[in-house]
Amino acid sequence: MVVLHTAIAIAVIVLLIIRVRVDPVISLIVGSLYLGLATGVGFTATLTAIATGFGEIMAEVGLLIGFGVLIGAMLHAIGAFRKMVTMLVDRVGADRLPYAMTAAMSTIFPSIYVDVQVVLASPVARSTAPFIGRTGLPHMSGALGTGIFAGYVFVIPGLAAVSIAGLLEIPLGTWLIYGFVLGPLTAIVTTLIFRLLLRGRYWNLARDEHVDEAMVEQETTELVEDDSATPPLLVCLLPILVPLVMIAFGAFAELLEFSNDFIAFLGDANFALFVGLIGAYVLCRRTLGSEGTDAAMSEGFHTTGAILLITGIGGSLGAVIGETGLDTILADLFTAEAGAPVILSILLAWLVAAVLHLAIGSVSVAAITAAGIIGPVLGSINVSPIVIGLAIASGAMFALQVNSNFFWMFKSLLGLSTQGTFKTLTMVTSIASVVSLPMVMAVALVA
């Protein structure tokens, strides 16, 4: 009955979000309450689990998300990311630009939210598309979409990556090592495959492209905006690069067994991102002054609140699932002693996240919910948590489509029809999800 009630709770969450269009926060709380009460956890114990789960995930990732969003908001405000994509246009060349774009999106850009990424990069994608040829727009659009979401789910400090790592109690340094390889590799391989697909009659310019005048006007304004006041690109990126180096150094120090208390302090993700935040604040203050910095910080605070709430509620669902005793019931499904069972565990984790994403339409909510469901059973299987976490990340990308707000933003900003958006964004996220799955299986051999 616990399994049945868990399935009902998830179905209720999905139906509330999709059919009734209830906010995910409310939907997740309703599902958590139903699950706790229906499985006999009890009235008080259910509420305690919800509150405790929220607090525990906030302790894990709250500061990381807050610091990361604020860093992104200030760097975006001073034009750092726009300067970067403009440099790519000038130096990389048209033929290699899709691969440079997707690599950059999947490594550096995860520090900002996906909506900001597509608003920032879509003018560059459109402006460079004619130089690539007839299929320039779909190729650049596909590269942009796969880069954004490969970075979002695999690369620290992408929100989905940080959230999964927190929910599964995976050290961020460990995730960074594997995710920084899988993210750009997935993005580049997907872009190569998509290019092969575009060589045939896949793309119909008349049906798949749709130019919106308002979008063109916004695009032109972005491209001609003066960025002479923006600091040099390398300086702009230091608030992102320095924390990544600090976290990576701490992880390698622990791996190679020369870590000590001071190195652990420097490599702590919370402290590393705080150092990045201070750097971004200084750059923003010098570039925009006090008022501009305050405005950028305010925008970051506004974004942070919603992200923290939905992430915390995802932790609440996981805590309630833990109280139901589902871990003992599902343990057999995730028993992985050797060989095929390991693959089965990875496939199950991938499938849970993929189905949730197809149903809910949010990569982050699907990743957080899947991690909340699978997290309680991790102790009963012999597969490394990093492998299960990466499998969830891989599945959560699968087939982004019309029940996502991002789908419609992507469509408008890139001048695509609905059919064209299916043939770019939905297709590349599906390819990326499938392509990354064997990479996750490869990680299982060494993790």
Side-chain angles (χ1 to χ4, degrees):
M1 291 299 289
V2 172
V3 175
L4 175 62
H5 286 305
T6 302
I8 293 173
I10 294 172
V12 167
I13 292 169
V14 170
L15 289 174
L16 284 175
I17 294 173
I18 295 177
R19 296 293 184 185
V20 191
R21 299 186 181 278
V22 176
D23 186 87
V25 170
I26 297 175
S27 302
L28 284 166
I29 287 290
V30 169
S32 298
L33 287 171
Y34 167 80
L35 180 59
L37 298 177
T39 55
V41 173
F43 293 99
T44 303
T46 298
L47 294 177
T48 300
I50 290 173
T52 302
F54 185 94
E56 288 178 350
I57 191 60
M58 285 298 98
E60 291 282 346
V61 301
L63 287 176
L64 300 177
I65 291 174
F67 290 163
V69 170
L70 290 174
I71 290 170
M74 286 187 283
L75 293 185
H76 178 238
I78 65 175
F81 296 109
R82 179 169 46 81
K83 192 165 190 172
M84 178 185 171
V85 293
T86 302
M87 180 273 293
L88 288 174
V89 175
D90 294 337
R91 299 187 181 181
V92 173
D95 290 341
R96 293 190 294 265
L97 188 58
Y99 308 103
M101 171 77 81
T102 202
M105 286 289 173
S106 61
T107 53
I108 298 175
F109 276 60
S111 62
I112 58 176
Y113 204 56
V114 292
D115 293 352
V116 178
Q117 291 185 53
V118 72
V119 169
L120 173 68
S122 58
V124 175
R126 278 192 54 82
S127 66
T128 56
F131 297 97
I132 299 176
R134 184 183 68 87
T135 58
L137 181 58
H139 198 185
M140 287 301 299
S141 299
L144 179 61
T146 190
I148 287 175
F149 284 102
Y152 189 59
V153 301
F154 285 125
V155 180
I156 301 294
L159 172 61
V162 172
S163 299
I164 297 170
L167 285 164
L168 300 185
E169 299 182 359
I170 300 168
L172 280 186
T174 302
W175 186 287
L176 178 63
I177 293 170
Y178 293 104
F180 199 77
V181 175
L182 261 64
L185 183 59
T186 296
I188 292 170
V189 171
T190 299
T191 303
L192 282 167
I193 294 172
F194 189 58
R195 180 185 182 183
L196 297 176
L197 185 62
L198 289 171
R199 286 182 176 178
R201 297 182 179 180
Y202 180 76
W203 191 254
N204 185 319
L205 191 146
R207 292 184 177 181
D208 298 336
E209 298 183 18
H210 176 72
V211 179
D212 183 272
E213 292 183 5
M215 178 270 297
V216 173
E217 182 179 351
Q218 179 190 26
E219 169 186 297
T220 305
T221 303
E222 281 281 344
L223 290 175
V224 299
E225 185 177 338
D226 181 25
D227 65 349
S228 59
T230 303
L233 182 60
L234 181 59
V235 175
C236 288
L237 297 180
L238 285 177
I240 299 172
L241 298 178
V242 169
L244 291 178
V245 171
M246 292 173 67
I247 295 170
F249 175 70
F252 280 112
E254 184 176 355
L255 183 65
L256 300 176
E257 299 182 350
F258 67 86
S259 182
N260 56 39
D261 189 55
F262 180 66
I263 292 176
F265 172 74
L266 291 179
D268 183 89
N270 289 302
F271 179 71
L273 281 182
F274 179 69
V275 170
L277 177 61
I278 294 297
Y281 183 84
V282 171
L283 285 176
C284 197
R285 190 72 179 261
R286 287 174 63 89
T287 305
L288 301 178
S290 178
E291 292 186 4
T293 302
D294 289 343
M297 290 282 283
S298 296
E299 182 63 29
F301 286 132
H302 176 74
T303 305
T304 300
I307 296 172
L308 288 176
L309 190 58
I310 183 63
T311 303
I313 298 303
S316 296
L317 176 61
V320 174
I321 290 174
E323 290 295 318
T324 64
L326 183 65
D327 54 336
T328 58
I329 298 172
L330 296 183
D332 289 341
L333 292 177
F334 286 90
T335 297
E337 295 179 358
V342 175
I343 296 176
L344 178 60
S345 297
I346 294 171
L347 289 173
L348 284 171
W350 183 92
L351 184 62
V352 168
V355 170
L356 284 169
H357 181 221
L358 282 171
I360 296 172
S362 168
V363 172
S364 58
V365 173
I368 291 167
T369 305
I373 292 169
I374 296 171
V377 307
L378 275 180
S380 61
I381 64 175
N382 294 324
V383 181
S384 172
I386 182 64
V387 175
I388 297 298
L390 292 171
I392 291 171
S394 173
M397 276 193 295
F398 187 75
L400 195 147
Q401 32 89 23
V402 293
N403 56 357
S404 167
N405 290 334
F406 186 92
F407 179 94
W408 302 105
M409 180 181 292
F410 190 90
K411 169 188 178 297
S412 300
L413 289 173
L414 285 157
L416 303 170
S417 66
T418 301
Q419 176 176 295
T421 311
F422 273 117
K423 293 167 81 171
T424 51
L425 183 62
T426 307
M427 178 58 72
V428 296
T429 50
S430 301
I431 295 172
S433 182
V434 174
V435 161
S436 59
L437 184 56
M439 298 181 192
V440 175
M441 294 179 180
V443 171
L445 298 176
V446 297

